[in-house]
């Protein structure tokens, strides 16, 4: 707290001292204020455009308020005009730079000093927010771009009277920055920064002009390091520190508020939401305060603001994903019945819905986040439009490359809707028996009886045959096969099996005890007994116990007389006959 007060006192003191010591030269180096140089009650001239020629605009007047551009300036080509403007501004010759502006839409009484302020404001906005595509700006008087063929000959084209050199978003609308070729009376045609662009300078500067600290900072504190003012670097790190503390505080408050909320699900998911919420709060605080207090210009600005915007969108997307994910987990753990009993089909079906929906919604949120990021950048948006426009071969290539992934995603939705397998189902896939442990975004996890995990692509589940023992009912019937000698009393064995089955607690009582002779071989008969249980695992355990008991009973019956026997008939030899 003391350090904060000290920082602000130091800032105010330095501002006061700097203001008292500033001379006229220092005042010139300070960015202009955001006050408009245009009088609201000013008078404007009539439309100066006489004719829209293919090569230029024919005007009845041009910059009557400051006069025609001096002949020492080279405005013959669009690139030369823009270079003259930029070089003059860099050398702080803003009155010279003002001659590169088409001021026909400005008040008639606009002075050269006011025009110079407009030039300085435009340069400030361009330096901060516009990356000029110098390679796309023609250096020919007719504005054409030289295109060389294989024979190294230029392709002839139509002359241009307007050249684009940048675009800035202004309150939801795109403001294009253009150079225009004009002709006045008998003077030769020349290029100026367009009247539409000049008309928007004040509005652009109001949004993208210098921030509060930059206007307050004294000249002696404006020394630079690696092309950046040191006070901006220090201020940025101070804001980063404050943002970190604000994020920690936000995380603590979110955790506390969620725990004290009347909504039970917020109490449960408070721990999962605290970190992404704190991060989002910190990033938003840093982004807003940086935009309000400090402005960067030049090559650093486009990278800095683009990266910051991406981080802001990603942090909000992460928070939304965590919120949805935590809510879905809460429903799965607290609002769905016990899914362990295999006969609880409704609970397992609901858990499957939640599991698939959780991942589909997460995927949709990510896609929306990516779309929002792309929509914020004109270059990326144009890239997306060009990709859609060339949807032929490229779409086929991307479709083939992503076929497996997209197929699994669609298969996951199909599984949720048609339910060929649910979480907790007993399945047999490729001769492996196990339980569906989870259904992920593109694959299904099957836990086998020996605790192995099978990772099965969802596309395989939809496209291939597999056994699902729990699809309609968890109840199951299993056969018990035993072999015995032909002489055994089958009825006696049947009665014993009925006794064993009815005395076993694993039997569900839905199927009556049945024992039948189903096959007669050369040496033995084959008896099949049927047992039933409430689910697959119970039935398997019952099946094993009864088979063991039946085998023991037959082995003990008359000292094993009815066990499997191989009979050999011996013929008497000559010695035995005598």
């Amino acid at each position: 707290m003391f350090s904060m007060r000290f920082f602000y006192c130091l800032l105010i003191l330095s501002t006061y001292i700097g203001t008292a010591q500033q001379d006229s030269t220092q005042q010139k180096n300070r960015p202009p204020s955001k006050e408009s140089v245009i009088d609201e009650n000013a008078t404007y001239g009539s439309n100066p455009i006489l004719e829209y020629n293919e090569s230029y605009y024919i005007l009845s007047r041009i910059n009557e308020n400051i006069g025609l551009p001096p002949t020492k300036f080279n405005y013959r080509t669009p690139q030369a005009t823009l270079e003259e403007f930029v070089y003059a501004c860099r050398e702080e010759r803003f009155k010279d730079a003002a001659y590169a502006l088409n001021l026909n839409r400005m008040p008639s009484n606009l002075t050269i000093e006011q025009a110079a302020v407009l030039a300085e404001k435009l340069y400030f906005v361009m330096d901060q927010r516009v990356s000029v595509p110098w390679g796309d700006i023609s250096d020919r008087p007719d504005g054409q771009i030289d295109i060389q063929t294989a024979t190294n000959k230029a392709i002839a084209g139509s002359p241009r009277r307007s050249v684009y050199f940048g675009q800035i978003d202004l309150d939801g609308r795109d403001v294009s920055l253009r150079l225009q070729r004009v002709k006045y009376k008998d003077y030769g045609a020349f290029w100026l920064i367009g009247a539409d662009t000049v008309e928007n300078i004040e509005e652009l500067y109001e949004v993208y002009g210098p921030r509060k600290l930059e206007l307050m900072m004294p000249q002696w504190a404006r020394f630079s390091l690696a092309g950046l003012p040191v006070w901006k670097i220090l201020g940025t790190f101070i804001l980063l520190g404050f943002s970190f503390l604000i994020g920690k505080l936000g995380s603590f408050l979110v955790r506390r508020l969620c725990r004290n909320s009347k909504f039970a699900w917020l109490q449960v998911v408070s721990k999962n939401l605290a970190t992404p919420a704190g991060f989002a709060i910190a990033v938003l605080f840093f982004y807003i305060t940086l935009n309000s207090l400090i402005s960067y210009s030049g090559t650093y600005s486009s990278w800095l603001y683009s990266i910051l915007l991406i981080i802001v969108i990603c942090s909000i997307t992460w928070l939304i994903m965590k919120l949805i994910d935590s809510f879905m987990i809460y429903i799965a753990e607290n609002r769905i019945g016990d899914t362990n009993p295999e006969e609880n089909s409704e609970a397992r079906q609901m858990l499957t819905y939640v599991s698939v929906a959780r991942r589909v919604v997460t995927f949709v949120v990510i896609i929306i986040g990516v779309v929002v990021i792309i929509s914020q950048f004109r270059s990326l948006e144009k890239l997306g439009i060009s990709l859609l426009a060339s949807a032929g071969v490229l779409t086929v290539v991307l479709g083939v490359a992503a076929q497996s992934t997209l197929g699994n995603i669609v298969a996951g939705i199909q599984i949720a809707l048609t339910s060929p397998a649910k979480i907790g189902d007993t399945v047999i896939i490729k001769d492996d028996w196990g339980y569906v442990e989870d259904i992920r975004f593109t694959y299904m996890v099957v836990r086998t009886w020996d605790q192995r995990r099978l990772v099965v692509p969802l596309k395989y589940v939809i496209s291939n045959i597999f056994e699902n023992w729990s699809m309609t009912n968890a109840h199951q019937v299993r056969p018990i096969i035993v072999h015995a000698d032909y002489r055994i009393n089958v009825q006696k064995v049947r009665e014993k099996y009925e006794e064993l089955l009815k005395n076993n607690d694993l039997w569900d009582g839905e199927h009556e005890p049945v024992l039948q002779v189903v096959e007669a071989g050369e040496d033995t008969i084959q008896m099949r007994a049927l047992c039933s249980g409430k689910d697959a695992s119970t039935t398997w355990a019952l099946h094993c116990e009864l088979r063991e008991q039946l085998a023991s009973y037959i082995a003990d019956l008359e000292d094993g007389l009815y066990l499997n026997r191989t009979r050999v008939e011996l013929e008497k030899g000559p010695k035995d006959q005598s």
Side-chain angles (χ1 to χ4, degrees), residues 109-178:
N109 59 349
L110 189 77
T111 64
I112 185 62
E113 289 76 13
Q114 292 172 327
V117 173
L118 286 176
E120 185 177 1
K121 289 181 176 181
L122 177 60
Y123 176 72
F124 187 95
V125 174
M126 289 174 55
D127 192 38
Q128 184 180 20
R129 293 288 178 174
V130 179
S131 178
V132 178
W134 292 104
D136 297 335
I137 299 176
S138 174
D139 198 24
R140 291 174 43 162
D142 58 4
Q144 295 185 53
I145 298 294
D146 290 328
I147 302 176
Q148 300 294 329
T149 62
T151 58
N152 203 28
K153 292 183 179 180
I155 299 176
S158 301
R160 302 162 68 190
R161 62 186 182 191
S162 179
V163 173
Y164 165 93
F165 68 91
Q167 187 166 277
I168 306 177
D169 177 75
L170 181 62
D171 296 331
R173 66 184 178 94
D174 294 328
V175 175
S176 295
L177 307 182
R178 290 186 173 274

Side-chain angles (χ1 to χ4, degrees), residues 392-522:
V393 177
L394 184 61
T395 302
V396 173
V397 172
L398 291 176
V400 172
Q403 181 180 9
S404 178
T405 302
L406 293 176
N408 285 320
I409 293 173
V410 174
I413 298 174
Q414 285 182 276
I415 289 175
L417 295 176
T418 58
S419 303
K422 302 181 292 294
I423 294 177
D425 279 2
T426 304
V427 295
I428 296 181
I429 296 180
K430 293 183 178 180
D431 298 327
D432 279 304
W433 172 40
Y435 302 93
V436 178
E437 191 172 60
D438 196 5
I439 298 178
R440 302 289 178 86
F441 201 60
T442 57
Y443 60 89
M444 182 170 71
V445 180
V446 177
R447 174 170 51 85
T448 62
W449 63 274
D450 55 356
Q451 299 302 311
R452 290 180 295 117
R453 298 298 189 274
L454 300 180
V455 178
V456 185
L458 296 181
K459 193 175 179 181
Y460 176 88
V461 177
I462 292 295
S463 305
N464 294 273
I465 298 174
F466 67 96
E467 291 186 47
N468 187 341
W469 291 355
S470 311
M471 187 166 185
T472 57
N473 194 341
H475 171 79
Q476 193 177 49
V477 178
R478 291 191 67 87
I480 303 171
I481 303 297
V482 292
H483 295 267
D485 192 77
Y486 272 87
R487 294 175 295 173
I488 194 170
N489 186 341
V490 176
Q491 182 59 31
K492 194 172 182 179
V493 177
R494 184 178 290 116
E495 292 172 356
K496 182 61 178 179
Y497 174 71
E498 181 176 351
E499 175 189 345
L500 293 173
L501 181 61
K502 289 183 177 180
N503 291 332
N504 198 306
D505 294 335
L506 300 179
W507 180 51
D508 62 358
E510 290 196 16
H511 282 77
E512 292 298 321
V514 175
L515 188 144
Q516 298 170 312
V517 176
V518 294
E519 189 175 340
E522 295 182 357

Side-chain angles (χ1 to χ4, degrees), residues 10-63:
L10 182 62
L11 179 61
I12 294 172
L13 181 62
S14 63
T15 303
Y16 174 76
I17 296 174
T19 304
Q21 294 179 346
Q22 281 179 344
D23 56 17
S24 59
T25 304
Q26 291 172 332
Q27 196 68 265
K28 184 188 295 184
N29 293 332
R30 182 188 295 276
S33 68
K34 292 189 177 182
E35 294 181 4
S36 176
V37 298
I38 302 172
D39 187 0
E40 294 182 358
N41 300 320
T43 58
Y44 294 82
S46 60
N47 184 7
I49 299 178
L50 295 176
E51 181 182 343
Y52 292 94
N53 187 281
E54 183 183 22
S55 303
Y56 41 74
Y57 297 92
I58 300 177
L59 306 179
S60 61
R61 57 183 174 84
I62 182 69
N63 293 359

Side-chain angles (χ1 to χ4, degrees), residues 265-524:
W265 71 274
L266 281 177
Q267 298 174 10
V268 175
V269 304
S270 60
K271 187 176 181 181
N272 293 332
L273 288 181
T275 300
F279 181 73
I281 292 171
V283 170
L284 282 173
F285 176 82
F286 179 75
Y287 183 75
I288 294 172
T289 52
L290 186 69
N291 270 330
S292 301
L293 301 177
I294 303 174
S295 63
Y296 282 90
S297 60
T299 54
Y300 300 98
S301 62
S302 57
W303 286 99
L304 176 64
Y305 291 112
S306 299
I307 292 173
L308 276 179
L309 188 57
I310 291 174
I311 294 175
V312 168
I313 296 173
C314 288
S315 66
I316 296 175
T317 303
W318 183 34
L319 176 60
I320 295 174
M321 286 171 51
K322 271 295 187 180
L323 179 63
I324 295 174
D325 193 56
S326 301
F327 180 69
M328 292 289 189
I329 292 175
Y330 168 78
I331 292 177
E333 294 179 351
N334 298 274
R335 296 299 181 184
I336 297 177
D338 188 6
T339 58
N340 289 325
E342 199 169 342
E343 65 272 15
N344 195 348
S345 178
E346 183 178 349
R348 290 186 289 107
Q349 179 69 65
M350 184 59 65
L351 183 61
T352 302
Y353 286 151
V354 170
S355 178
V356 175
R358 170 188 167 196
R359 289 167 174 84
V360 171
V361 172
T362 300
F363 178 75
V364 171
V365 170
I366 293 174
I367 293 298
I368 293 175
V370 172
V371 170
V372 171
I373 290 175
I374 292 176
S375 67
Q376 300 302 312
F377 302 97
R378 176 61 55 181
S379 58
L380 295 179
E381 188 176 346
K382 290 181 178 179
L383 175 62
I385 293 174
S386 63
L387 290 178
L388 291 176
S390 58
V393 177
L394 184 61
T395 302
V396 173
V397 172
L398 291 176
V400 172
Q403 181 180 9
S404 178
T405 302
L406 293 176
N408 285 320
I409 293 173
V410 174
I413 298 174
Q414 285 182 276
I415 289 175
L417 295 176
T418 58
S419 303
K422 302 181 292 294
I423 294 177
D425 279 2
T426 304
V427 295
I428 296 181
I429 296 180
K430 293 183 178 180
D431 298 327
D432 279 304
W433 172 40
Y435 302 93
V436 178
E437 191 172 60
D438 196 5
I439 298 178
R440 302 289 178 86
F441 201 60
T442 57
Y443 60 89
M444 182 170 71
V445 180
V446 177
R447 174 170 51 85
T448 62
W449 63 274
D450 55 356
Q451 299 302 311
R452 290 180 295 117
R453 298 298 189 274
L454 300 180
V455 178
V456 185
L458 296 181
K459 193 175 179 181
Y460 176 88
V461 177
I462 292 295
S463 305
N464 294 273
I465 298 174
F466 67 96
E467 291 186 47
N468 187 341
W469 291 355
S470 311
M471 187 166 185
T472 57
N473 194 341
H475 171 79
Q476 193 177 49
V477 178
R478 291 191 67 87
I480 303 171
I481 303 297
V482 292
H483 295 267
D485 192 77
Y486 272 87
R487 294 175 295 173
I488 194 170
N489 186 341
V490 176
Q491 182 59 31
K492 194 172 182 179
V493 177
R494 184 178 290 116
E495 292 172 356
K496 182 61 178 179
Y497 174 71
E498 181 176 351
E499 175 189 345
L500 293 173
L501 181 61
K502 289 183 177 180
N503 291 332
N504 198 306
D505 294 335
L506 300 179
W507 180 51
D508 62 358
E510 290 196 16
H511 282 77
E512 292 298 321
V514 175
L515 188 144
Q516 298 170 312
V517 176
V518 294
E519 189 175 340
E522 295 182 357
D523 302 318
T524 61

